Amino acid sequence: SWMNSSNADILNSQIRLGIRYGLDADIFIVPGTPRYCLNTGLFVSNNSFKTHYSVETPFEIGNKTFTNNVDFRFNLNYIEIPINLKMRTEQFYRLTYFGQFGVSNFINVSAKAISSDKQLNGANVNDAVGLYNIALLMGAGAEYDLGGNTALVAGIQYSKGLIDYSTIKSLDESSYFSSLRLVLGVMF
């Protein structure tokens, strides 16, 4: 995961790994035709990134006041509910390829941060992160048929936040997080 800010003095300084796990469901749009389906699910999603703030305006996160040149490592945990259109090819030598496009809804469960000046050390910073976010979701992958209704799934997904996740009122900026995911799973 990483973040982008509209303020040139707030930069993403490190891309960090996270994890997303949960249940995925394909709901076929036309019964008996598995080529087009509505894809949804329920996931726990972790988005982690490191930022550098070199702003002159003092700002507050987690009831602590910060000035310029401070780094933060954010760890944002969400309940994620994607809604997208999944388009699949016909099966070819046990492989079915797919592409997907839609949105993903994020509901903030917890937000924690560590600051380089040691004011925050894994402290709760829900006051600096919005409760809801929505992201554009695009992906592609393949399903390998194991027989019956079981298949191995592998793919890649790109998610780009559409709503400013930051609620720091003293900074005149908008910040968005994005992620690139490797998807692995079993479909049954």
Side-chain angles (χ1 to χ4, degrees):
S1 299
W2 65 95
M3 65 79 71
N4 293 314
S5 176
S6 62
N7 187 332
D9 295 326
I10 301 173
L11 301 171
N12 188 80
S13 60
Q14 185 180 33
I15 295 172
R16 298 191 45 87
L17 291 176
I19 189 166
R20 175 183 175 230
Y21 58 91
L23 300 172
D24 204 14
D26 289 340
I27 302 165
F28 298 111
I29 295 172
V30 179
T33 306
R35 301 249 349 237
Y36 302 99
C37 56
L38 179 67
N39 176 263
T40 188
L42 183 64
F43 296 91
V44 174
S45 175
N46 172 266
N47 294 279
S48 181
F49 45 85
K50 192 171 181 182
T51 60
H52 177 74
Y53 285 68
S54 58
V55 296
E56 294 181 11
T57 307
F59 59 97
E60 193 173 294
I61 296 179
N63 298 322
K64 306 285 184 190
T65 302
F66 298 92
T67 55
N68 60 358
N69 291 322
V70 64
D71 292 329
F72 293 96
R73 189 179 78 197
F74 286 98
N75 190 13
L76 310 178
N77 293 299
Y78 292 93
I79 297 294
E80 185 178 347
I81 303 168
I83 301 170
N84 58 77
L85 178 63
K86 187 173 183 182
M87 298 159 284
R88 302 168 64 196
T89 65
E90 293 290 335
Q91 192 175 85
F92 181 73
Y93 292 109
R94 301 184 80 105
L95 281 172
T96 303
Y97 300 97
F98 66 86
Q100 57 191 137
F101 179 80
V103 295
S104 202
N105 299 282
F106 292 87
I107 301 166
N108 184 12
V109 176
S110 75
K112 296 185 180 198
I114 296 172
S115 62
S116 60
D117 64 0
K118 307 294 185 213
Q119 286 192 63
L120 296 176
N121 192 11
N124 183 330
V125 292
N126 280 331
D127 62 330
V129 177
L131 176 64
Y132 175 77
N133 207 324
I134 191 166
L136 179 66
L137 180 69
M138 295 180 285
E143 300 168 2
Y144 181 77
D145 184 8
L146 296 175
N149 291 328
T150 307
L152 293 177
V153 179
I156 191 164
Q157 285 183 345
Y158 171 69
S159 173
K160 172 152 180 48
L162 300 175
I163 297 176
D164 181 8
Y165 76 85
S166 173
T167 58
I168 304 171
K169 294 174 179 55
S170 59
L171 296 177
D172 184 26
E173 60 91 31
S174 298
S175 295
Y176 306 92
F177 67 84
S178 300
S179 63
L180 186 63
R181 302 174 179 149
L182 174 64
V183 178
L184 300 171
V186 178
M187 188 163 60
F188 52 90

